[in-house]
Amino acid sequence: MEDLVARWAGTAFQQEAAAWADEVLGRRGLVRSGPLVPEKIRFWSAVFAVPLARGCAWFKVGNPGQAFEGRLLRTLGQVVPDRVLAPWAVDEDRGWWLLPDGGPTLDGSRPTDWVDLVGDVADLQRACAAHQDRLDMVPALPAEEAAGWVEGTVDRLTRLPAADRQHLDPARARSLVGKGPRGHDGLRRFGKRMEILAGTGLPATLQPNDAHPRNAVGPSTPGGPARVFDLGDAVRSHPWAVLHTTVRLAARVPLTDTWPDTPLTRRIVDAYLERWPGVDLGGRPGTGLAGTGGRPGTGGRPGTGNLPEVLAAADRLGAVHRAASWLRLLAPVDPDRLAVPTPRVADWLELALR
């Protein structure tokens, strides 16, 4: 296990990164005008501004668990070039990529920033669905496999040393996947919800898993879609799980809180669902959030469940996706040298099985 923060903050690494950036820039007739400037150094990634005579470029290195991001951005630049900020170059072996400056990120302070973005994300997902063979660098965790993944992960967390922050007490584990205090089998109920998601008939596609305005820049042409550039948390799965993170960030509540029911989150859900016209929504009015806490609704297509049930299932799957992305980030690093507080993976699993 490695202290990635210390390595990326070190002079030797930054000199090596600068030399590679110089090679990439030279092929484009550009010259670096100063040293790399750290923008963010975290154990999941590090970003450095690369100053140029006019503006800057951006160097990024990913945690080994998410080093596929550069390859993904490059591929999306070929598949959906108007919907992504494509890198100028990618070093797959080292998990490095160099991005052009796409302008300021979206603001996020206006409701329209969130509403417009989720529509663009839905369009991105629909476009990617036909290109899954080209997106195989992204880890897959479909709804059909999620219950087995959760069961295996709960067992894995209980086997960690008791001093490990991610350790899950066996008694708590039994309450999550076995008979809980309310007499329900959390894992069985989660599996039923995943069957509901599978019943929507939507194909697996890119699930960004962290869609918010600060991870996107404006369009390349007036009136075009926002362009995403931060996809290290991505998975391939049911697309609607993307709402899990987005609605909580928009409502400014912790990601492990229950679904926030606010006017803004209802607008976000409606704007997202409008981009899926071929899906039976089981009674469109009130798409917001009633039922996402697990309360069954009425109506809808037989075998699919109504819209509140589908949203509740997608939200639970999104919680599993967050757990999966954190696990792959934590795997290669020294847990005592993360430099920032980290969530407990079990908290997302508890939310998924609630």
Side-chain angles (χ1 to χ4, degrees), residues 14-337:
Q14 294 183 30
Q15 288 176 341
E16 187 180 4
W20 179 74
D22 288 344
E23 294 177 9
V24 175
L25 294 171
R27 293 195 292 269
R28 307 184 70 88
L30 299 172
V31 177
R32 179 168 54 91
S33 62
L36 271 58
V37 180
E39 175 74 11
K40 177 189 71 175
I41 301 178
R42 300 289 187 268
F43 75 88
W44 52 85
S45 68
V47 178
F48 298 84
V50 183
L52 306 173
R54 296 182 62 181
C56 70
W58 298 94
F59 170 88
K60 185 171 182 179
V61 54
N63 175 297
Q66 299 191 161
F68 65 82
E69 184 182 0
R71 293 173 55 207
L72 172 60
L73 290 171
R74 181 177 60 193
T75 299
L76 292 177
Q78 299 163 359
V79 173
V80 284
D82 59 333
R83 298 184 179 279
V84 65
L85 188 62
W88 281 341
V90 178
D91 186 321
E92 295 184 19
D93 293 336
R94 293 186 287 192
W96 297 358
W97 55 103
L98 189 68
L99 290 163
D101 184 37
T105 61
L106 302 184
D107 190 343
S109 65
R110 301 179 296 267
T112 53
D113 292 334
W114 295 90
V115 172
D116 292 345
L117 177 65
V118 293
D120 290 338
V121 167
D123 290 342
L124 168 67
Q125 292 176 302
R126 293 177 63 198
C128 287
H131 300 281
Q132 290 305 290
D133 59 327
R134 301 191 61 184
L135 303 180
D136 59 358
M137 75 286 289
V138 181
L141 185 48
E144 296 84 349
E145 300 175 11
W149 186 91
V150 169
E151 185 174 23
T153 300
V154 167
D155 180 68
R156 172 184 167 189
L157 297 180
T158 62
R159 297 175 185 274
L160 292 174
D164 192 305
R165 174 168 168 75
Q166 299 302 328
H167 171 76
L168 178 60
D169 180 75
R172 185 182 177 198
R174 289 192 294 272
S175 73
L176 290 178
V177 302
K179 294 295 182 180
R182 298 179 183 177
H184 63 262
D185 185 333
L187 188 62
R188 181 188 59 80
R189 186 166 65 176
F190 177 78
K192 292 293 185 182
R193 284 186 165 129
M194 295 305 98
E195 291 176 7
I196 290 173
L197 273 189
T200 62
L202 289 171
T205 186
L206 183 70
Q207 201 283 74
N209 206 21
D210 194 18
H212 64 86
R214 295 293 184 183
N215 282 346
V217 294
S220 56
T221 57
R227 295 171 293 162
V228 297
F229 62 86
D230 191 326
L231 293 170
D233 292 304
V235 294
R236 284 182 294 130
S237 188
H238 194 286
W240 290 15
V242 72
L243 291 171
H244 171 87
T245 298
T246 303
V247 297
R248 288 168 173 80
L249 291 173
R252 300 186 179 185
V253 300
L255 294 182
T256 50
D257 272 16
T258 55
W259 185 300
D261 186 359
T262 71
L264 175 56
T265 58
R266 293 192 195 104
R267 286 182 61 188
I268 289 171
V269 172
D270 285 341
Y272 182 78
L273 295 182
E274 285 174 359
R275 306 301 179 98
W276 299 94
V279 180
D280 182 353
L281 299 181
R284 183 57 187 275
T287 55
L289 310 157
T292 54
R295 186 185 68 205
T298 59
R301 186 170 61 191
T304 300
N306 61 26
L307 179 59
E309 289 176 330
V310 175
L311 287 174
D315 187 50
R316 282 2 186 249
L317 181 59
V320 170
H321 289 164
R322 292 302 295 177
S325 67
W326 272 103
L327 278 177
R328 69 194 189 209
L329 284 172
L330 291 168
V333 298
D334 184 339
D336 295 324
R337 290 178 169 81

